[in-house]
Structures are given as C-alpha cells and as structure tokens.
Amino acid sequence: MRFDGLLTSALYTSAALLSSVRAADDIDDGAEASSTSLSESSTSVPIEKPTFTPSNIKAPFFEQFTDDWDSRWSPSHAKKEDSKTDEDWAYVGTWAAEEPHVLRGIEGDKGLVVKNPAAHHAISAKFDKAIDNKGKTLVVQYEVKLQNGLECGGAYMKLLQDNKKLHANEFSNASPYVIMFGPDKCGATNKVHFIFKHKNPKTGEYEEKHLKSPPMARIVKTTSLYTLIVKPDQTYEIRIDGEKMKDGSLLEDFTPAVNPEKEIDDPKDTKPEDWVDEARIPDPEATKPDDWDEDAPYDIVDEEATKPDDWLEDEPTQVPDPEAEKPEDWDDEEDGDWIPPMVPNPKCEEVSGCGKWEPPMKKNPEYKGKWSAPYIDNPAYKGVWKPKKIANPGYFEDKTPANFEPMGAIGFEIWTMQNDILFDNIYIGHSIEDADKLKAETYDIKAPIEKAEDEASKPKAPEPVKSPLDLNFKDDPVLFVREKVQLFWTIARRDPIEAVRFVPEVAGGIGVLLVTILAVIIGGTMGGPKAAPKVKKAAEDVKKAAVEAKDQTVDAASSGAEKVQSEVSKRTTRSAGPAE
C-alpha cells in the first residue's frame, strides 16, 4: 500500500494539468468548428449556372452549334495527302455536338467535339456567301476547351479559299486555305498559329507567311477564347481571353517577308583569284629568339620536394582482401590456384602514402613550347568578298497584303493525341464590337463559373505549420508536448521565471516529476505504514501546485506573449523549414 497515495497523487495531478490544456483546446475547437462550418457552407452550395440562349448577333459566319448544326457541317472522308510516306491516312476521327463534361459553365451550351484520340479529323462548313475583306477589318474569334488537356495535337482552324475545288472536292489537308489560326502544341512546341497565304503577283504562286514570334497557347481545361483582328492598315492583333498578346504589321512580322528584296546577289559574280580576304597574317619578318628552347619539357621533377616522415615505403599500396573467401564451386585443377582480390591497403589511408616514394613533377618555368611568328594586320587585305548586287527580277511590292483572297468555308483539319477538344461560338466577320459583344454574352459568363469550379475541385493546400502557441493537444499530443517543452527550454535559458509564467503546463509537469521522485525517495527511506501520511501530504501539495498552474495559464497568455514573441517566431521559422 506504500505507493497507493503516490499513484493517486500522480493521476490527480495529471488530470488537473490536462484540464488546463483542455480549457484552451475548447476555445480553439469552438473557433475551428465555426470556421469549418463556414467553409463547408461556402463550398457545399452549388454554383448557379445560366441556361444557354442563342445570340442574336449577325455575321457573315456565326456558329453556336445548335440542334441543326449537322445541316451546316460536313465531316470529311477523304484521304490525307502526305508526300513523306507511302501510307494512306484517312480522316477516321468522328465529331459530335455536345455539352462539355468538364467544368460546364452554361447549361445546354453545346460545342463541336473531337471524339477520337490519336486520329486524323477533318470537318468543314461552307459560307452562305464568300467573305471578302478587301478594305475591311477581318475578325476571327472562337472558343477552345481542352477537356482532357493537350499534350500533342492541334486545335486551329482554316479559312478556305473560295474556288471551284472547294465545292467539288471533300475537305482535306490539300484544300487551299487563306488563313490558319489557333493553338498548336506538341512537346516543346506551343504556339498560336497565324499563317496566311499570299499570292505572288508576278508568278501567281501562293506562299505561306508565318508569324515570326507567335504567342503561346493556353493549355487549360477551362474555356479559352482566341481572337484574330486584321485591319485595312495592314496591322494585326491576337487576343487570348480578351487580352492582347501580340500585334504588329503584316509587312514586317512574317517570314518569308511579303515583299522580296529590291536587289539580290548576282549569281554569276565570282571572287577574283587575287582577292585577299585574310585580315591578319604571321609577321614575315619575325624570327625565333636565340634563347627559345622548343624542346624544353612541360613538366620537370621537383628537386626541392622531400619524402614525408610518415611515408611507408615497405607497405604495398594494395593487399589481398582479408574478408574474401574462395567460392565453394572453385576447382583448383580446372580454375587454377585461387587468388583473393586486391583491395587498397588500409594502412596507407592513415598516412601520406605507401610504396616507393618518388618526387612529384612540377611545371617547368623554362617551358615555352613551339615558337610561332606573331600576327600582324595584312597590308594586302581587301575585306570580305561579296558578290555584287543586281536588280531582283522577281521583285514586287504589295502594299495591301491584308486584302486576302475571298474565303468560302471554315474547316478544322487536325491530328491530336487527346480527344474531347471542344470548339464553340465561332465568329467570322468584320465587327470588333460584335465580337466583343459575343464575348460578353458567352465567354465572360462561363469563364468565371468554370474557374470557380476548377478551384473548388483542386485539393486543398496543406495548412501552414503552426507555432507552438497555436498547436492543439487533440490534433497531435506528441507534437504538442514536444513543442511546448522545447519552447519552455528556449525561454528558460534567458528567463526561467518568464518560462514558468508563459508555459505553466510544462513547469507544472516538471514539478510533478520532482515531487514524485521525492515521494518515492521518502517512501523508500522511511518505509512502512508510517510513511503513508507524509506521502498523502506530498500528493496534496502537488494537487495544490497543479491548480495554481492552471490559474496562471490565462495570465501568462497576456503578460508573457510580448516578451517571448521573438522566441516563438524563431521556432515557427525553424518548424516551417523543409524536413531533412
């Protein structure tokens, strides 16, 4: 019965200390519960989505993929022409008008969807009337939604040339186009194409003109809006999601240039045989100095070096491996005498070296190498030879490349590794204002809804590491105790009294430990029933100390916070660092 009172005292004290911890925890739990309920209420409420209503905007071509879309669009069943291979590639990819299955922004809003991964797709729609932008602004705008992302594939459109072939043949990669515009990505390639075909007024041949530094495509699962504007003053502008990403001149920003050079190198001109194009030559008057020794070695023995005192000349650099054992299947008659493998001599690792000592080599101060004459400016130098210029027989000047050839259809002819690429709200016309109005009616409504859903679906970021003052005992008791103890010792090294006031639960725990040890010593020394009253009195003293520690908790939070904030900040900084 000697330890009954001691055990009761320890348990009672622990309960008293824990009650002070729980008192603070209850406050934290209430705040956390309130915060959690607010968070849950904000995320559980579904986002209200509008219902699709067709726009009344008018344009030479405007498509929102309503129920009668297939009366305007024709999938191609032609074979793709490819001069690089003998294989026949058919446009086997299928198309459908569907609502997005990823991040839907407007209910009932359908788009044209690429259905098959790793397949060639082609589809086109003819215009009611050919679009001729001579003297007019051309605006091309459409939405792209990469529901499965885009690792390798295109999502660009082609505006097809209005000619007899357009109406006679199925659409394919061989169909002449006027403009190609839109995103394309594969591997490191990521750009928004803007290519237009320009007719040479002298030869009648068409040549592709590529934008030199195209902007990057946005590879996201939310809807992206791509806009191309070409004005009669020969300028262009590319917007993504309504933001201007690139602008410039058709006459300056494309390669090959729209207009060729006025003069070219004369292909018949040749460099004269006596032309000197060496700017510098070895000095013909220079001579090798008499003291120049070409045979002097680069390295010589360092005669001043001495053998280190701990050098072991009698020790070999390698010795048989003492731990090696002859394999059980080794046959001396067939395999010969077994010789253990050699390993570095361990004695040599503790000294400067082993074996025969030889002085090291050093760079020869007299070394000069092979002599060569210094270079001087060539007095006969005539400069870099260039052929003479002549008038370019193919020169022309087109000051209005923005006057594109008439366009009779739109087509998507793509190959992609990802399916479910969705196209919607295609506008081709002459009004920037109407394109902006369409953007306000469609993209500006769906984009914030999609982005909100996208953010809500992402995994929550881990909470930042708490300071010792913010830890909750119930969350992680071990971490709570460890951090509190470390904080106590950090403060105690500077001010023990302040440590007791600021972290009373640790101080109380230390007191319990000391009293317990003292009680055990007293009980062991005095022994017998006579010790019971003293042990009981010691337990009562511990109980009283625990109650006082609990009462100090509230006072310590206000009086000690300012004085130890620097220590808490330092520990928080260390806790927030990367784990080793």
Side-chain angles (χ1 to χ4, degrees):
M1 300 298 292
R2 176 181 301 179
F3 295 101
D4 288 351
L6 177 60
L7 179 59
T8 303
S9 173
L11 291 174
Y12 189 89
T13 302
S14 299
L17 289 174
L18 186 57
S19 68
S20 67
V21 173
R22 286 177 175 173
D25 286 347
D26 290 341
I27 299 175
D28 293 340
D29 291 344
E32 289 178 3
S34 176
S35 175
T36 301
S37 63
L38 287 174
S39 175
E40 290 178 352
S41 63
S42 63
T43 57
S44 61
V45 176
I47 300 173
E48 185 176 353
K49 299 179 182 179
T51 302
F52 170 73
T53 302
S55 174
N56 58 7
I57 289 176
K58 305 296 182 183
F61 182 81
F62 179 45
E63 180 63 78
Q64 290 190 297
F65 297 98
T66 49
D67 292 339
D68 58 344
W69 73 276
D70 53 357
S71 65
R72 297 180 293 276
W73 291 83
S74 300
S76 176
H77 302 287
K79 290 185 178 180
K80 183 173 182 177
E81 295 185 11
D82 190 348
S83 60
K84 298 179 181 179
T85 179
D86 294 332
E87 295 186 50
D88 291 332
W89 299 103
Y91 294 105
V92 297
T94 56
W95 302 81
E98 301 174 344
E99 293 185 57
H101 64 81
V102 174
L103 304 175
R104 183 183 305 168
I106 299 176
E107 296 292 345
D109 185 16
K110 295 181 179 180
L112 181 65
V113 179
V114 175
K115 295 303 295 177
N116 305 102
H120 295 274
H121 294 72
I123 193 170
S124 62
K126 293 181 174 62
F127 302 152
D128 295 334
K129 181 181 178 182
I131 298 177
D132 190 346
N133 75 305
K134 288 182 176 64
K136 302 177 184 178
T137 295
L138 176 66
V139 182
V140 179
Q141 180 172 283
Y142 73 116
E143 295 175 358
V144 178
K145 188 175 180 66
L146 307 172
Q147 300 187 84
N148 294 328
L150 187 64
E151 295 179 3
C152 189
Y156 46 81
M157 67 158 63
K158 291 180 179 180
L159 300 183
L160 308 180
Q161 190 180 61
D162 185 51
N163 54 26
K164 294 181 179 180
K165 291 184 178 180
L166 177 64
H167 302 282
N169 301 328
E170 279 198 287
F171 171 53
S172 73
N173 64 315
S175 301
Y177 71 89
V178 179
I179 290 176
M180 189 170 99
F181 172 66
D184 188 17
K185 183 182 185 300
C186 194
T189 299
N190 182 358
K191 58 186 175 182
V192 178
H193 284 294
F194 176 23
I195 305 170
F196 68 91
K197 283 195 174 182
H198 180 260
K199 184 178 181 180
N200 186 315
K202 283 199 168 185
T203 64
E205 296 179 353
Y206 289 89
E207 186 176 42
E208 290 183 350
K209 307 297 181 181
H210 293 248
L211 183 61
K212 291 179 182 177
S213 300
M216 292 180 64
R218 292 190 178 168
I219 311 302
V220 293
K221 294 184 179 181
T222 54
T223 298
S224 296
L225 182 69
Y226 292 89
T227 307
L228 170 65
I229 302 171
V230 181
K231 297 181 179 179
D233 62 358
Q234 317 310 309
T235 61
Y236 69 92
E237 180 181 328
I238 295 176
R239 300 176 184 175
I240 303 179
D241 298 344
E243 178 184 359
K244 181 169 67 176
M245 305 302 295
K246 180 83 173 178
D247 63 351
S249 169
L250 298 181
L251 294 167
E252 298 174 0
D253 297 349
F254 288 77
T255 182
V258 170
N259 296 314
E261 298 289 339
K262 290 184 178 181
E263 293 185 330
I264 60 172
D265 294 336
D266 185 357
K268 297 180 180 179
D269 193 16
T270 58
K271 183 172 70 172
E273 294 181 0
D274 60 348
W275 188 276
V276 178
D277 50 12
E278 290 85 13
R280 293 175 62 81
I281 59 172
D283 185 356
E285 298 181 0
T287 57
K288 184 174 69 172
D290 295 336
D291 61 347
W292 192 286
D293 184 3
E294 291 186 343
D295 299 326
Y298 180 80
D299 291 327
I300 58 174
V301 176
D302 186 359
E303 301 293 347
E304 298 179 357
T306 58
K307 183 177 71 173
D309 295 336
D310 61 347
W311 192 278
L312 305 177
E313 281 199 283
D314 296 333
E315 287 289 341
T317 58
Q318 288 193 324
V319 296
D321 186 355
E323 298 181 359
E325 296 180 358
K326 183 171 71 172
E328 296 180 358
D329 59 349
W330 187 277
D331 190 332
D332 290 338
E333 293 183 358
E334 294 183 2
D335 302 326
D337 293 335
W338 180 79
I339 301 175
M342 304 296 284
V343 295
N345 190 341
K347 295 181 180 180
C348 302
E349 296 177 359
E350 302 175 358
V351 296
S352 300
C354 295
K356 182 180 179 182
W357 180 84
E358 295 181 354
M361 304 294 286
K362 69 176 184 178
K363 185 177 180 180
N364 185 359
E366 301 299 326
Y367 173 78
K368 295 182 179 180
K370 184 175 179 60
W371 181 85
S372 59
Y375 273 72
I376 61 172
D377 291 337
N378 187 354
Y381 176 63
K382 294 184 178 181
V384 178
W385 181 85
K386 296 180 180 178
K388 65 182 181 181
K389 294 289 186 178
I390 61 172
N392 184 359
Y395 174 75
F396 62 84
E397 184 177 18
D398 181 358
K399 296 182 179 181
T400 58
N403 290 337
F404 300 122
E405 294 284 318
M407 293 161 278
I410 177 178
F412 291 98
E413 189 270 318
I414 57 178
W415 178 88
T416 176
M417 288 298 294
Q418 280 71 45
N419 63 339
D420 289 340
I421 299 174
L422 183 147
F423 305 104
D424 198 6
N425 293 314
I426 303 172
Y427 174 92
I428 303 172
H430 307 292
S431 174
I432 299 175
E433 292 74 17
D434 284 350
D436 288 341
K437 181 181 178 183
L438 176 62
K439 170 179 173 291
E441 294 178 358
T442 55
Y443 175 79
D444 289 348
I445 293 175
K446 70 175 66 175
I449 296 175
E450 292 178 0
K451 291 176 181 177
E453 283 196 354
D454 188 32
E455 287 298 322
S457 65
K458 292 180 180 179
K460 294 183 179 179
E463 294 183 1
V465 178
K466 297 180 180 179
S467 75
L469 297 179
D470 297 330
L471 293 174
N472 190 312
F473 180 82
K474 294 180 180 180
D475 291 342
D476 190 338
V478 176
L479 177 63
F480 178 88
V481 173
R482 184 176 68 244
E483 291 293 324
K484 288 286 185 178
V485 171
Q486 290 181 358
L487 179 60
F488 178 86
W489 288 120
T490 300
I491 302 173
R493 280 196 289 267
R494 293 182 55 186
D495 191 338
I497 296 177
E498 196 64 45
V500 172
R501 293 181 61 194
F502 194 73
V503 197
E505 57 266 47
V506 176
I510 294 174
V512 170
L513 178 62
L514 294 177
V515 172
T516 302
I517 295 174
L518 181 61
V520 172
I521 294 174
I522 294 174
T525 303
M526 300 181 66
K530 297 179 180 181
K534 295 184 179 181
V535 174
K536 182 176 181 181
K537 184 178 184 302
E540 291 178 353
D541 293 340
V542 172
K543 174 182 176 183
K544 182 179 180 181
V547 172
E548 291 177 355
K550 174 183 175 183
D551 294 337
Q552 291 174 356
T553 301
V554 176
D555 295 337
S558 57
S559 63
E562 295 180 356
K563 295 182 181 180
V564 298
Q565 189 59 45
S566 59
E567 283 82 357
V568 175
S569 299
K570 292 178 183 177
R571 289 183 49 73
T572 303
T573 302
R574 289 199 299 269
S575 299
E580 294 183 355

